[in-house]
Amino acid sequence: MSNAQIEIQLIACIVAIACAIPGTFLVLRKMAMISDAISHSILPGIVVGFFITQDLNSPLLILLAAFTGIITVVLVEYIQKTGLVKEDTAIGLVFPTLFSIGVILIAKNANDVHLDVDAVLLGELAFAPFDRLRISGVDVGPKSLWIIGSILLITLGLLIAFFKELKISTFDKGLAASLGFSPIIIHYGLMTVSSITTVGAFDAVGAILVVALMIAPAASAYLLTTDLKLMIIYSICFGVFSAISGYWLAHGLDASIAGSITTMLGILFLVIYLFAPNKGIIAILYREKQQRTEVSLLTFLLHLKNHKEIEERHVNHLNEHINWQKVRSKTVLDLALKNNMISIDKNIVSLTAKGDEFTSQAIDYIITNEDTQIEDMKDDFFLFRG
Amino acid sequence: MNKIAVKVDDLTVAYNYKPVLWDIDLEIPEGVLMAIVGPNGAGKSTLIKSILGILKPIAGSVSIYGKSYKKQRSLVAYVPQKGSVDWDFPTTALDVVMMGTYGSLGWIKRPGIKEKKSALEALEKVGMLPFKNRQISQLSGGQQQRIFLARALVQNASIYFMDEPFQGVDATTEIAIINILKELRKANKTVIVVHHDLQTVPEYFDWVTFLNVKKIATGPVKDIFNDDNLTKTYGINYKVSIQE
Amino acid sequence: MDVTEYIKLVFTDYTLRTITLGTAVLGAVCGMLGSFAVLRKQSLLGDAISHAALPGIAIAFLISGAKDSNVLLLGALVSGLIGTFWIRGIITKTHLKADTALGLILSLFFGFGMLLLTFIQKQPNANQAGLDKYLFGQAATLVESDVWLMATVTGICFVVLMLFWKEFKILLFDADYTKTLGFNTKFIDILITTFIVLAIVLGLQTVGVVLMSAMLLAPAAAARQWTNSLGIMIILAAIFGAFSGVFGTAISASQNNLSTGPIIVIIAGIFVIISFIFSPNRGLLFKQIRFIKNRRDLQLNKTLAFMHQIAKTHESISHPHTVKILNNFQGYTRSTLQQLVNKNYVKLEGNMWSLTEEGFTKASNLYNQQTSDNE
């Protein structure tokens, strides 16, 4: 591995971590699309900043562009408040318009601005190591490494300092306000951090990858845990993993690094989406099937308990009245028999003592709706699965 | 005993693993004004939504006048909860009421003069004729509810299902709804209303179903609307002062 | 270049005519279908779909090896639809929320598309140049067959819209109720979604992946402000969309270095801003004016009512009182008093005021009206 390769991977990893932290909160606060909006609408800010500073890596430019991000958020919220259009539409109107302004600004000043719209959207990580920071003539590393590194340090500092406030205001706005943490300050603080991170990362990895790095690791982590701290840690790990594996994918295919990292994020999300132990699609479908059978069983037992009349308890009644297909009825009947819940005598079904007790318990739980009883119930449900 | 208008057999509905309705058997005779009462989360709306085929039950069947609901759809009208739609939708009161005729029109065919006439009549009945060209967002909550009611009236059905029509309405609307309910009963229609205000049950309705996930009781208000059933339904010791 | 000259050019110059027609038709169809997206609260779905279409274009190119735009659009359509249904799958099956699902699919598909595009660019295939026009769109590459395709799709859209007008309307307004009337809501829903995806895919070549969502939303959001009728809204949206297309093409054609897509989006954005501010019923300007006027009227009425209270205690209404009494009253200012005098409700003599007959009746009516309003 050459020096440049290590530096590229290092930058990619730091960007991934810097994005994963605000990203987690954006996903939890249902504001993922805001990050998409910010990533597009900072373009005019970058262009104007470039006119002023003539340096893409200047901190002033980053602040100016981040300010455009905040303006986007304010504008979106203002339009939402007027009630003239529905919530989402406001976002969808603001960012393409601002982005267009940026594109036109670049086009009109193509000779003065060494900016390329493609590069803004996609970044060019491969070139990052060539723009080096020199302090009194000594090469201290790539500029973008220093920029994104400082942003990460600030983000980390803020995260540690305000973790409690962020947590409360994310999960319970009302409580946060009553405890004296202004949700508005937290909200705009988060928006500012997201904007700065987006700007800081864009010229290395491009606007779209910033969005992917913010949302995808957090969304993947959210499918695995609901613990906030764990979620942040998982997001960071996923981000770093995709950054490094994406780099090597790009290396192998000789394709865009940003695109490859996003693709790795996509594969990672797909795998977790399918196989996450509790919230993955396969687990959910399996559970739904189980639950359908279990609920059917309970329905059937309850029906038996409710009806003493013989005709209501005839095996055929299951098909006719409860409106199930033959297969389902048979599955339910077998399951109940296997667990000694019922006995069948000349096609007339009766509850056994065990079945009767179980049904009463189930009814109790359902009627009282108390969650304390749900734990026992879960154990009972597992009994059937054996 | 009258004919049975709606018969529900062993109906069970669950959202995810959480059962919402359990093994409901229900027979609603023709021509009654029935209230469905029960605490929040008791499955009242779910019950009528599954009767109407909006939700798919896990088990059980529903019949309307002895035939499956699908065949008898034209006999049934529905008044959804007012909050279930976006009232900022660009359309007028008359237009919304006209939607009641879409079912009998079927696919593609457009409403004509006949449909417009019946829509105007329905608007008249709920006292909303002067507002027929008003944009629906510019109507008060009560007026919106009356528009929904008019839309169901246009369907000219035999059985009406109403989901909380009295919620958040003004006195004028409440009276208007009550008058329409009475008129419907006179015409021997069956009306099933999800209702919240226990105090007004004996005054407005003649039939009642107590529901809390499973059916607690159903029958004439004068026979079964008592503290015992209320306690069973609402869990805590519930007492209503019923005005004699 | 002056305007008449330009218009002449539109009719004589083949390329310009093609582009103008193309963007106009595209704007119209996007406006039409965008109305549905806006009313269904699926505004950002368009953004996600347009980004999700990118890998489809790349894969279609990889498979066919040709740059035939119809084949590429077919790829875009398939990949856009996959994205749409995956978004739905995420929202319905997991606890991830709509915005996360949209952002995910948008960025992941786009990133994958970019991977493929950069991969293709490195291939020794002379044909691949120009695929990146789908990023920002290049109206200049429109040819007559593209316009025909757009026109055909718009035509089909229009016919289907007219046929199923009633069904679309009722589904948009109240889906559950539509079900109880016996309509197959899934069918209508898929029809609408497919058309929206189709419109987006058509626009990719002209406006590009990034700005496509604005083409869909802006005309509809502007149109909504001017009317309360769904039909008129859709027609207006189509007109706004078409005009954005035509103006955008004109501006970008008359200037150097301006790509059409962003200009069209900005024009559409200007339509939105004008509509937000100046529409007579919903517009912010008139709302503010009405608000100020109401507040003035209220102040005036309050002062009048206060005077009425004082005058009532005296035998004659025209009994004069000093202006000083009013000073403690909140609604009172010199100008409100002057306005009351102008309206002939109050007579002012030096530092003394008195109610006129007219003012007294007005004030007592005011009082009655207010109490009856409360009932």
Side-chain angles (χ1 to χ4, degrees), chain C residues 107-300:
Chain C
S107 55
L108 296 181
F109 272 59
F110 185 81
F112 181 54
M114 280 321 298
L115 173 76
L116 292 174
L117 280 190
T118 47
F119 176 73
I120 290 171
Q121 273 161 14
K122 302 274 164 65
Q123 299 299 302
N125 182 344
N127 234 345
Q128 34 86 0
L131 271 190
D132 53 345
K133 75 178 176 199
Y134 289 99
L135 279 184
F136 297 105
Q138 254 178 344
T141 62
L142 281 177
V143 290
E144 215 177 292
S145 66
D146 295 326
V147 179
W148 274 116
L149 181 68
M150 281 182 195
T152 316
V153 172
T154 311
I156 296 171
C157 250
F158 190 71
V159 171
V160 171
L161 192 69
M162 294 308 282
L163 271 181
F164 295 102
W165 174 252
K166 157 174 132 266
E167 286 77 12
F168 283 167
K169 178 154 90 176
I170 191 169
L171 180 80
L172 287 177
F173 178 61
D174 193 345
D176 276 358
Y177 183 72
T178 314
K179 230 178 184 173
T180 68
L181 292 182
F183 291 104
N184 184 344
T185 50
K186 241 188 208 144
F187 171 73
I188 312 174
D189 181 56
I190 289 179
L191 209 59
I192 296 182
T193 310
T194 311
F195 272 118
I196 292 178
V197 177
L198 206 59
I200 290 169
V201 167
L202 278 182
L204 291 182
Q205 192 184 352
T206 316
V207 190
V209 164
V210 183
L211 296 174
M212 197 46 222
S213 69
M215 274 306 278
L216 213 56
L217 298 188
R224 176 68 189 92
Q225 312 310 323
W226 298 95
T227 174
N228 282 325
S229 142
L230 179 64
I232 298 175
M233 172 177 166
I234 290 177
I235 294 170
L236 269 181
I239 293 173
F240 288 162
F243 270 104
S244 309
V246 173
F247 288 152
T249 311
I251 293 173
S252 82
S254 54
Q255 307 261 320
N256 285 331
N257 268 334
L258 280 186
S259 41
T260 320
I263 301 277
I264 295 180
V265 168
I266 287 181
I267 304 268
I270 292 172
F271 273 119
V272 173
I273 294 172
I274 292 174
S275 306
F276 276 9
I277 298 175
F278 297 108
S279 98
N281 280 320
R282 296 162 67 98
L284 297 174
L285 182 68
F286 289 97
K287 224 184 240 172
Q288 191 62 31
I289 291 174
R290 271 198 298 274
F291 176 72
I292 293 171
K293 192 177 169 300
N294 280 346
R295 206 172 49 189
R296 282 233 189 91
D297 285 355
L298 192 71
Q299 262 173 5
L300 217 63

Side-chain angles (χ1 to χ4, degrees), chain C residues 77-120:
Chain C
L77 183 67
V78 172
S79 142
L81 282 172
I82 291 174
T84 314
F85 288 106
W86 197 3
I87 289 171
R88 287 202 184 175
I90 293 176
I91 297 172
T92 52
K93 286 290 174 199
T94 70
H95 64 291
L96 296 177
K97 295 295 177 299
D99 65 300
T100 309
L102 288 168
L104 258 176
I105 297 304
L106 178 157
S107 55
L108 296 181
F109 272 59
F110 185 81
F112 181 54
M114 280 321 298
L115 173 76
L116 292 174
L117 280 190
T118 47
F119 176 73
I120 290 171

Side-chain angles (χ1 to χ4, degrees), chain A residues 19 21 24 33 39 57 59 137-138 201 236 263 325 352 357 361 374:
Chain A
C19 288
I21 294 169
T24 307
M33 281 312 275
S39 74
N57 282 322
V138 184
I236 290 172
T263 306
Q325 281 120 17
T352 60
E357 193 201 343
Q361 219 183 331
I374 195 171

